[in-house]
Amino acid sequence: MIRKNKKKMKVMVNAQTLILDGDARDVICQAVEQMHIDLLVVGSRGLGKVKRAFLGSVSDYCAHHAVCPILIVKPPKEHHKHKNFKDRVA
């Protein structure tokens, strides 16, 4: 629900998950254009600047090349502090 002027409005969201083959950066941007997507939501692995420079970043590429707005979702801070589940539970 989105609140606007203290009134509730229902918002319909149509979300799709696709499995495509190819270079993720190119395939995602092509699908966005062909399907006339309104908003692209992608995840970020939270790599540092150096690793991102060497490995490349799909989310960064899409942010610069997609023809629609993009929302990049970062991993939770806990993800960086604990490398495995046992550390989080202990």
Side-chain angles (χ1 to χ4, degrees):
M1 297 272 186
I2 296 176
R3 289 183 182 240
K4 186 175 182 179
N5 297 331
K6 297 184 180 182
K7 294 180 182 178
K8 292 183 181 180
M9 297 177 2
K10 291 185 179 181
V11 177
M12 300 297 292
V13 176
N14 180 11
Q16 294 182 347
T17 302
L18 301 173
I19 299 175
L20 303 169
D21 188 33
D23 181 14
R25 299 175 302 178
D26 296 326
V27 170
I28 291 171
C29 288
Q30 287 173 4
V32 164
E33 193 169 346
Q34 291 172 355
M35 298 175 67
H36 306 287
I37 301 298
D38 295 319
L39 174 67
L40 175 62
V41 180
V42 295
S44 171
R45 295 184 289 169
L47 298 177
K49 292 179 183 179
V50 175
K51 286 184 181 179
R52 189 170 51 242
F54 284 108
L55 298 175
S57 169
V58 173
S59 57
D60 185 59
Y61 182 88
C62 291
H64 289 92
H65 294 90
V67 295
C68 70
I70 179 171
L71 173 64
I72 300 173
V73 181
K74 290 183 172 184
K77 289 185 180 184
E78 294 175 0
H79 180 74
H80 297 291
K81 293 179 183 177
H82 308 290
K83 295 194 179 207
N84 63 38
F85 182 73
K86 289 181 183 178
D87 291 339
R88 284 185 265 174
V89 175

